[in-house]
Amino acid sequence: MDTSNPAVFVNAELLRMYVGRRVRAVIQVLKSDGGGTVTGKSTDEQQLVIKGHPPGPLSTFVEVIGIADSNQSILAEIWTNFGDNLDTASYNQVCQLANGDYKHLFI
Amino acid sequence: MFSSSQFESAPAFTGGGGGFNYSQSTQSADPVPTSAKSRDTQPMVPVTAKQIIEASQSTDDKSNFLVDGAIVSNVKLVGMAFDKAERVTDVSFVIDDGTGRIGCNRWVNEAVDRKEVEGLSDGTYVRIHGHLKSFHGNKQVVVFAIRPVTDYNEIANHFLECIYAHSCNARLQTGVLTPASSSSTLSTPSNGNQKATSNQFSQEYNLDGLNNIDKLVIEYLERPSSTVQEKGVHRDEIATQLKVPMAKILEAIESLESEGLIYSTIDEYHYKSTSTG
């Protein structure tokens, strides 16, 4: 049992509140340069940079869990392919609810 | 009236999300120890790991846990599995859903159980259904089912369910809705989703989200002739009795199972309804 290291649901807007902390975000992959940087679109349609090396080929939508590196970048530890079909609007709603009225259920 | 009109959306959710019945949470003041009841009669509550970790033990019966003031016995979690350790009779692992980590234990008795845990590997997203238990002062989940997440919309969906369940319970706890008024809300005809039958099932669950064959299958499993069958009903029997092609039955079974309305029993051919046990 451990709640000491939660990964907070974030979109680009919320990311800035958690710099230095563990977060989870879904991005739509736009560009992967193969050199440790992946550029993607957040669920609130802003550009995010994910630093780190994906373990394999990425699907259209990817969830990364890692440390919020700056306002627009995440240092990824865990990459999960979420497939090519994802309701990003719902995920974005979860980000907002998990940081709003229902924060106490999450962090 | 504001809150009761909000509450009317409850049946729509219980249908869509599977075998929940939040009205049971109104029985939290019931002095009868619920641990004596079979797990099948308990609602399956979607929760976050943090909610489990913060759950308090009920004062009258130490085997019960209170989440949002309601007794929670069976839980649903969606998260990543880690630290899998296989032993001869069981497999333990940790579920990390991003809100916290909780230990899980799955007994492995039969080949079908073994197959279920084989698919479990570190870092994969799974949905687990299990029973909340305290072991040496640590809360853990004794898992009855592990299903890999294949459609990742399920993750957002699960957390929305958690929020919804929490809201329902919180509203009941604050006494805005007394149990009596909540049940009259549930059966009120003004809630156009409800069928006006005396069948308890249709009052507790909304089947509108299901297609016709799903409904036929669940109704078949609800029949007394089906519920008396200890090991559930064989899918061949369902197909023969309903005169529906097996392919359609299999589709319906898959969808009902994923909604948590039915479950497989002795093997993957026999099924029971979760609402009747």
Side-chain angles (χ1 to χ4, degrees):
Chain A
M1 293 195 298
D2 182 10
T3 48
S4 58
N5 201 13
V8 192
F9 276 103
V10 294
N11 54 26
E13 189 62 41
L14 294 157
L15 180 65
R16 64 189 76 230
M17 290 161 55
Y18 295 98
V19 174
R21 290 177 58 188
R22 203 156 169 259
V23 292
R24 64 201 299 201
V26 163
I27 57 154
Q28 182 180 347
V29 177
L30 299 175
K31 194 174 73 190
S32 177
D33 69 356
T37 309
V38 173
T39 310
K41 194 168 72 172
S42 67
T43 54
D44 56 345
E45 318 234 310
Q46 295 181 41
Q47 192 162 307
L48 283 185
V49 174
I50 312 299
K51 297 176 183 172
H53 292 273
L58 296 174
S59 58
T60 309
F61 296 100
V62 173
E63 184 197 56
V64 291
I65 299 179
I67 306 294
D69 189 44
S70 75
N71 283 351
Q72 283 139 22
S73 63
I74 297 172
L75 212 53
E77 290 163 12
I78 303 172
W79 304 72
T80 310
N81 280 333
F82 271 19
D84 298 328
N85 217 326
L86 192 81
D87 180 356
T88 51
S90 292
Y91 195 94
N92 198 47
Q93 281 291 321
V94 174
C95 292
Q96 284 165 358
L97 291 165
N99 286 281
D101 290 349
Y102 299 96
K103 200 170 175 175
H104 58 290
L105 301 183
F106 294 86
I107 46 172
Chain B
M1 280 321 287
F2 170 67
S3 53
S4 78
S5 65
Q6 280 189 323
F7 192 80
E8 280 185 3
S9 58
F13 172 75
T14 54
F20 323 121
N21 177 4
Y22 294 113
S23 63
Q24 282 222 4
S25 61
T26 59
Q27 296 170 355
S28 57
D30 189 344
V32 179
T34 42
S35 58
K37 295 179 193 165
S38 119
R39 74 182 194 202
D40 299 324
T41 62
Q42 297 294 315
M44 189 78 89
V45 184
V47 291
T48 65
K50 182 166 188 272
Q51 284 179 288
I52 293 181
I53 292 161
E54 289 178 350
S56 55
Q57 289 197 328
S58 123
T59 45
D60 54 332
D61 183 342
K62 291 290 181 207
S63 66
N64 285 328
F65 294 93
L66 295 174
V67 173
D68 304 325
I71 291 178
V72 170
S73 144
N74 294 335
V75 292
K76 312 204 291 189
L77 281 160
V78 174
M80 276 185 184
F82 287 103
D83 301 342
K84 178 185 174 190
E86 281 190 72
R87 284 177 293 271
V88 180
T89 54
D90 69 306
V91 170
S92 68
F93 55 96
V94 166
I95 285 285
D96 185 336
D97 71 353
T99 72
R101 292 186 151 220
I102 188 103
C104 297
N105 206 276
R106 172 77 162 98
W107 292 102
V108 179
N109 296 317
E110 292 172 38
V112 66
D113 302 335
R114 180 67 62 190
K115 206 176 152 198
E116 195 174 290
V117 298
E118 265 172 15
L120 190 72
S121 56
D122 280 6
T124 52
Y125 268 104
V126 289
R127 165 180 286 275
I128 61 158
H129 292 179
H131 177 71
L132 205 52
K133 200 181 160 189
S134 183
F135 183 69
H136 294 316
N138 272 327
K139 282 170 223 157
Q140 63 170 36
V141 179
V142 180
V143 176
F144 358 112
I146 307 169
R147 297 283 183 267
V149 170
T150 50
D151 179 343
Y152 289 90
N153 287 308
E154 201 172 330
I155 295 168
N157 185 56
H158 167 75
F159 285 104
L160 293 173
E161 276 185 21
C162 293
I163 291 171
Y164 186 81
H166 166 78
S167 305
C168 283
N169 277 336
R171 205 167 285 137
L172 289 165
Q173 291 306 312
T174 53
V176 175
L177 270 176
T178 64
S181 73
S182 71
S183 57
S184 69
T185 310
L186 284 172
S187 54
T188 180
S190 68
N191 180 351
N193 293 328
Q194 298 287 332
K195 271 189 251 159
T197 68
S198 59
N199 182 326
Q200 190 201 7
F201 179 81
S202 61
Q203 291 194 351
E204 286 180 4
Y205 300 91
N206 184 310
L207 297 175
D208 286 358
L210 304 177
N211 73 32
N212 288 337
I213 296 176
D214 290 6
K215 276 187 205 173
L216 287 174
V217 170
I218 191 102
E219 276 160 17
Y220 188 80
L221 291 174
E222 298 282 322
R223 288 184 196 173
S225 60
S226 302
T227 56
V228 294
Q229 296 191 45
E230 176 97 1
K231 59 184 183 185
V233 181
H234 197 285
R235 65 188 196 192
D236 289 349
E237 180 188 330
I238 304 175
T240 319
Q241 292 294 323
L242 296 177
K243 301 184 178 63
V244 171
M246 182 52 90
K248 296 275 182 197
I249 293 289
L250 292 181
E251 254 174 49
I253 284 176
E254 195 187 337
S255 111
L256 289 167
E257 197 174 23
S258 69
E259 295 290 343
L261 293 170
I262 65 170
Y263 62 96
S264 58
T265 56
I266 52 166
D267 55 30
E268 55 190 313
Y269 307 113
H270 289 78
Y271 284 88
K272 280 191 144 186
S273 156
T274 45
S275 67
T276 54

